[in-house]
Amino acid sequence: MPTVPPPEELLTQEELIEKFLQNPNLAERYRKHLNKIQAEDVPIDIKPVNPPDIFCTEPQEPKQFFWVRARGYIGETDMKVHCCVAAYISDYAFLGTALLPHRQYNIKFMVSLDHSMWFHAPFRSDHWMLYECESPWAGGCRGLVHGRLWRRDGVLAATCTQEGVIRVEQNPNQSKL
């Protein structure tokens, strides 16, 4: 398991957005985008370890870490329930990792083509897990991302892979040939 700060030392995604929205110099288009994200009712607690600079158009390393867990109490139940919740969690912000080196583009849409998971050890999806995401490749309107969900005790709980279609806005001056 990678060495990262524990979730108790990090801000939630909502707290990070609030921090950005308090900036009076924030451009209106960023303010609208952040308000849209904030309005989504996501049943996941997310604490980014290395939040990307959302205002930067420079390429960034295609690697992200998040502490994640389901909101609320699920408890000791059938492991299949925790696996289903982990599958939902694993899809959130996963494909976005492939975009980090390509920040100069405006994304029209992204959609998953396939998403596979392998479960290695028992876990609780309502307990904090470290989600390690990295993208070894993106190009030709596609992105590939690998992820690992680590329990707090350092045990690898699940591995994920996703390929998706990514469409960007065409530059009007760019040739279509």
Side-chain angles (χ1 to χ4, degrees):
M1 177 172 157
T3 303
V4 299
E8 294 79 16
E9 294 180 11
L10 301 170
L11 297 174
T12 64
Q13 181 170 294
E14 289 86 1
E15 290 167 335
L16 286 169
I17 289 172
E18 270 304 316
K19 190 175 165 183
F20 284 127
L21 289 173
Q22 289 174 5
N23 180 349
N25 299 321
L26 182 64
E28 189 58 32
R29 73 183 192 116
Y30 292 126
R31 189 172 302 282
K32 284 181 182 178
H33 179 68
L34 290 173
N35 280 320
K36 182 179 175 184
I37 292 170
Q38 198 173 37
E40 294 173 359
D41 188 20
V42 180
I44 308 167
D45 285 326
I46 302 168
K47 292 193 172 189
V49 174
N50 58 335
D53 182 349
I54 62 170
F55 309 114
C56 177
T57 57
E58 296 298 315
Q60 296 177 33
E61 181 183 13
K63 188 164 192 154
Q64 297 189 87
F65 297 96
F66 305 92
W67 283 102
V68 293
R69 69 178 177 189
R71 285 194 176 147
Y73 177 77
I74 296 174
E76 300 290 335
T77 185
D78 188 335
M79 190 61 209
K80 292 175 189 166
V81 173
H82 288 286
C83 290
C84 288
V85 173
Y88 179 86
I89 289 172
S90 73
D91 194 40
Y92 191 82
F94 197 28
L95 199 51
T97 305
L99 300 176
L100 292 175
H102 310 283
R103 301 291 297 243
Q104 70 273 26
Y105 298 105
N106 290 325
I107 306 305
K108 240 176 151 172
F109 76 89
M110 295 186 304
V111 63
S112 176
L113 292 176
D114 55 57
H115 184 123
S116 298
M117 291 189 75
W118 297 267
F119 298 99
H120 310 299
F123 61 91
R124 292 267 308 265
S125 56
D126 55 349
H127 289 182
W128 285 115
M129 292 186 289
L130 180 65
Y131 192 21
E132 176 186 10
C133 304
E134 60 185 332
S135 175
W137 179 83
C141 297
R142 293 202 176 181
L144 177 66
V145 185
H146 300 301
R148 286 171 283 287
L149 278 168
W150 299 89
R151 294 187 333 206
R152 283 191 82 158
D153 62 1
V155 172
L156 181 61
T159 305
C160 323
T161 298
Q162 183 177 52
E163 182 184 27
V165 171
I166 302 167
R167 296 282 190 247
V168 298
E169 289 180 358
Q170 287 288 334
N171 183 338
N173 298 330
Q174 190 177 14
S175 172
K176 294 185 180 170
L177 295 177

